[in-house]
PDB file of all heavy atoms in Angstrom:
ATOM      1  N   GLU E 265      93.018 126.525 138.812  1.00 91.00           N
ATOM      2  CA  GLU E 265      93.020 126.060 137.427  1.00 91.00           C
ATOM      3  C   GLU E 265      94.200 126.676 136.674  1.00 91.00           C
ATOM      4  O   GLU E 265      94.511 127.845 136.829  1.00 91.00           O
ATOM      5  CB  GLU E 265      91.708 126.474 136.769  1.00 91.00           C
ATOM      6  CG  GLU E 265      91.565 125.918 135.371  1.00 91.00           C
ATOM      7  CD  GLU E 265      90.174 126.203 134.793  1.00 91.00           C
ATOM      8  OE1 GLU E 265      89.505 127.146 135.260  1.00 91.00           O
ATOM      9  OE2 GLU E 265      89.777 125.476 133.869  1.00 91.00           O
ATOM     10  N   GLU E 266      94.837 125.852 135.866  1.00 97.00           N
ATOM     11  CA  GLU E 266      95.956 126.356 135.080  1.00 97.00           C
ATOM     12  C   GLU E 266      95.474 127.374 134.050  1.00 97.00           C
ATOM     13  O   GLU E 266      94.402 127.218 133.470  1.00 97.00           O
ATOM     14  CB  GLU E 266      96.640 125.182 134.360  1.00 97.00           C
ATOM     15  CG  GLU E 266      97.875 125.631 133.610  1.00 97.00           C
ATOM     16  CD  GLU E 266      98.594 124.486 132.904  1.00 97.00           C
ATOM     17  OE1 GLU E 266      98.122 123.345 132.956  1.00 97.00           O
ATOM     18  OE2 GLU E 266      99.642 124.784 132.289  1.00 97.00           O
ATOM     19  N   SER E 267      96.284 128.396 133.832  1.00 98.00           N
ATOM     20  CA  SER E 267      95.925 129.352 132.777  1.00 98.00           C
ATOM     21  C   SER E 267      97.162 129.717 131.973  1.00 98.00           C
ATOM     22  O   SER E 267      98.296 129.583 132.435  1.00 98.00           O
ATOM     23  CB  SER E 267      95.297 130.604 133.381  1.00 98.00           C
ATOM     24  OG  SER E 267      96.300 131.392 133.991  1.00 98.00           O
ATOM     25  N   THR E 268      96.914 130.162 130.762  1.00 98.00           N
ATOM     26  CA  THR E 268      97.998 130.597 129.897  1.00 98.00           C
ATOM     27  C   THR E 268      97.483 131.737 129.030  1.00 98.00           C
ATOM     28  O   THR E 268      96.284 132.008 128.998  1.00 98.00           O
ATOM     29  CB  THR E 268      98.518 129.427 129.037  1.00 98.00           C
ATOM     30  OG1 THR E 268      99.642 129.876 128.282  1.00 98.00           O
ATOM     31  CG2 THR E 268      97.465 128.912 128.078  1.00 98.00           C
ATOM     32  N   ASP E 269      98.404 132.391 128.325  1.00 98.00           N
ATOM     33  CA  ASP E 269      97.944 133.446 127.412  1.00 98.00           C
ATOM     34  C   ASP E 269      97.326 132.832 126.158  1.00 98.00           C
ATOM     35  O   ASP E 269      96.215 133.152 125.761  1.00 98.00           O
ATOM     36  CB  ASP E 269      99.133 134.332 126.983  1.00 98.00           C
ATOM     37  CG  ASP E 269      99.711 135.133 128.130  1.00 98.00           C
ATOM     38  OD1 ASP E 269      98.954 135.406 129.098  1.00 98.00           O
ATOM     39  OD2 ASP E 269     100.912 135.480 128.071  1.00 98.00           O
ATOM     40  N   ARG E 292     102.886 133.687 126.886  1.00 98.00           N
ATOM     41  CA  ARG E 292     102.954 132.348 127.481  1.00 98.00           C
ATOM     42  C   ARG E 292     102.140 131.421 126.585  1.00 98.00           C
ATOM     43  O   ARG E 292     100.945 131.641 126.367  1.00 98.00           O
ATOM     44  CB  ARG E 292     102.369 132.351 128.885  1.00 98.00           C
ATOM     45  CG  ARG E 292     103.207 133.134 129.917  1.00 98.00           C
ATOM     46  CD  ARG E 292     102.525 133.088 131.276  1.00 98.00           C
ATOM     47  NE  ARG E 292     101.164 133.665 131.198  1.00 98.00           N
ATOM     48  CZ  ARG E 292     100.132 133.282 131.943  1.00 98.00           C
ATOM     49  NH1 ARG E 292     100.270 132.320 132.836  1.00 98.00           N
ATOM     50  NH2 ARG E 292      98.947 133.855 131.799  1.00 98.00           N
ATOM     51  N   VAL E 294     101.035 127.422 125.500  1.00 98.00           N
ATOM     52  CA  VAL E 294     100.974 125.983 125.744  1.00 98.00           C
ATOM     53  C   VAL E 294     100.419 125.319 124.482  1.00 98.00           C
ATOM     54  O   VAL E 294      99.407 125.768 123.948  1.00 98.00           O
ATOM     55  CB  VAL E 294     100.070 125.638 126.945  1.00 98.00           C
ATOM     56  CG1 VAL E 294      99.896 124.117 127.086  1.00 98.00           C
ATOM     57  CG2 VAL E 294     100.646 126.227 128.233  1.00 98.00           C
ATOM     58  N   THR E 497      91.865 120.775 132.434  1.00 98.00           N
ATOM     59  CA  THR E 497      91.440 121.981 131.721  1.00 98.00           C
ATOM     60  C   THR E 497      92.528 123.043 131.839  1.00 98.00           C
ATOM     61  O   THR E 497      93.323 123.042 132.782  1.00 98.00           O
ATOM     62  CB  THR E 497      90.138 122.571 132.301  1.00 98.00           C
ATOM     63  OG1 THR E 497      90.355 122.907 133.676  1.00 98.00           O
ATOM     64  CG2 THR E 497      88.969 121.601 132.180  1.00 98.00           C
ATOM     65  N   ILE E 498      92.569 123.925 130.895  1.00 98.00           N
ATOM     66  CA  ILE E 498      93.423 125.108 130.929  1.00 98.00           C
ATOM     67  C   ILE E 498      92.582 126.269 130.412  1.00 98.00           C
ATOM     68  O   ILE E 498      91.854 126.107 129.435  1.00 98.00           O
ATOM     69  CB  ILE E 498      94.660 124.973 130.014  1.00 98.00           C
ATOM     70  CG1 ILE E 498      95.467 123.724 130.351  1.00 98.00           C
ATOM     71  CG2 ILE E 498      95.550 126.200 130.120  1.00 98.00           C
ATOM     72  CD1 ILE E 498      96.728 123.551 129.489  1.00 98.00           C
ATOM     73  N   THR E 499      92.715 127.419 131.052  1.00 98.00           N
ATOM     74  CA  THR E 499      92.043 128.589 130.489  1.00 98.00           C
ATOM     75  C   THR E 499      93.072 129.428 129.742  1.00 98.00           C
ATOM     76  O   THR E 499      94.263 129.428 130.066  1.00 98.00           O
ATOM     77  CB  THR E 499      91.361 129.450 131.562  1.00 98.00           C
ATOM     78  OG1 THR E 499      92.347 129.902 132.483  1.00 98.00           O
ATOM     79  CG2 THR E 499      90.282 128.677 132.289  1.00 98.00           C
ATOM     80  N   ALA E 500      92.577 130.124 128.720  1.00 98.00           N
ATOM     81  CA  ALA E 500      93.470 130.914 127.876  1.00 98.00           C
ATOM     82  C   ALA E 500      92.726 132.137 127.352  1.00 98.00           C
ATOM     83  O   ALA E 500      91.501 132.131 127.234  1.00 98.00           O
ATOM     84  CB  ALA E 500      93.968 130.074 126.706  1.00 98.00           C
TER      85      ALA E 500
END
Side-chain angles (χ1 to χ4, degrees):
Chain E
E265 186 173 22
E266 184 179 2
S267 74
T268 184
D269 293 334
R292 291 179 301 149
V294 174
T497 60
I498 305 181
T499 60

